Amino acid sequence: MSILLLGGSPQLPSSSSRLLLHIGEQLALQGHSYARLHVRDLPARALLLADYDDAAIARAVRAVADADAIVIATPIYKASYTGLLKAFLDLLPQDGLAGKLVLPLATGGGHAHTLALDYALRPVLHALGAKQVFTSIYANAQQLDWHEERGLSLDAPIAERVQAGIEELSSGLFVLQGQRPPAPSDISVPVRSLQDQPYAPHYQAA
C-alpha cells in the first residue's frame, strides 16, 4: 500500500520537510512504500488558477487519489497552515481524501501554535472525506535539531509522539490490506533519521 508525503512548506529544505521525510523513512523500514510531493514545485500560476488542464497539477491530484495514506506536513504561519497547502487542497474534489488514512504534521517557532493543526487543518481533512485522521504531531524549533552529517535528531518527547504516529499509521495500513500488524516490539526504529536525500523537483518513490 502506498503513502504520499505531502509537503506544504514554501521553503525547501525546511523543518517540516525534514520531519516529513524522517517519518517516511521510518514507515519504509516497516515495509511501506512512499512517494513525495512538495506543493512548492507545482507551477504557481496553474496552482492559483486551479488549472486542471496543467499536466503537473493533474499528476499531483492523481498522486493523492492513488495513495492509501497521506502524511501532510506544514509550517505554521499566523496560527494556521500555509496558503500554499490550502491552494492545493482546494484543487481536490469534495471527496478527495475518501477512504484514506491521514497523519498531519506541523512545525513552528513555539508552543503557542500547538492547536493550529486541530483547529485549522483537521476540519478540512475531514471535509475532504478522510477515512481516519490520526493524532496531529506538532514540533517546535527546540525539539528538532538538524546536523549536516548526522541528519535530523528529535528530542525525547517529540520522538515519542512521532513514533506513536508512525505505529498508528502503519497499523492502519496493515489493517486496510487485510494483514495483521506486527507487534511494536518487533520493530526497531531509531530516533535519528538519515540525512535528507538529494532533492529533485518531482515525485520520488522510496
Side-chain angles (χ1 to χ4, degrees):
M1 306 194 83
S2 64
I3 301 168
L4 180 66
L5 306 181
L6 179 59
S9 176
Q11 314 234 344
L12 199 70
S14 66
S15 295
S16 63
S17 68
R18 286 166 174 158
L19 181 59
L20 181 65
L21 180 58
H22 171 88
I23 288 178
E25 289 171 347
Q26 308 314 317
L27 287 165
L29 291 176
Q30 299 194 19
H32 305 291
S33 62
Y34 69 82
R36 286 184 279 171
L37 168 60
H38 294 285
V39 180
R40 58 162 273 155
D41 292 334
L42 298 176
R45 180 177 177 82
L47 179 65
L48 293 176
L49 296 180
D51 183 3
Y52 294 97
D53 293 327
D54 182 89
I57 295 295
R59 284 195 303 270
V61 172
R62 188 165 57 249
V64 173
D66 290 344
D68 299 297
I70 313 289
V71 183
I72 299 181
T74 177
I76 298 298
Y77 297 146
K78 304 294 192 296
S80 184
Y81 60 101
T82 64
L84 190 66
L85 180 58
K86 177 67 164 63
F88 179 71
L89 293 177
D90 285 346
L91 293 177
L92 302 180
Q94 187 171 355
D95 60 349
L97 296 179
K100 302 184 190 304
L101 308 179
V102 182
L103 176 62
L105 317 172
T107 57
H111 290 294
H113 300 307
T114 302
L115 297 179
L117 278 170
D118 291 331
Y119 284 106
L121 183 57
R122 183 175 290 271
V124 176
L125 302 177
H126 283 297
L128 288 169
K131 178 181 180 69
Q132 185 171 1
V133 181
F134 293 104
T135 303
S136 304
I137 299 172
Y138 175 87
N140 64 47
Q142 292 72 40
Q143 293 174 308
L144 304 175
D145 181 55
W146 175 255
H147 189 279
E148 290 298 330
E149 295 180 358
R150 295 191 299 269
L152 181 66
S153 296
L154 314 179
D155 76 356
I158 195 62
E160 184 176 346
R161 293 196 64 184
V162 166
Q163 181 59 28
I166 290 168
E167 291 179 359
E168 286 181 348
L169 180 55
S170 180
S171 295
L173 284 168
F174 282 120
V175 170
L176 280 182
Q177 202 171 12
Q179 297 182 9
R180 180 179 175 181
S185 59
D186 296 337
I187 302 170
S188 177
V189 179
V191 173
R192 238 179 245 283
S193 80
L194 301 177
Q195 186 174 0
D196 199 359
Q197 301 171 14
Y199 171 70
H202 56 266
Y203 316 128
Q204 304 181 46

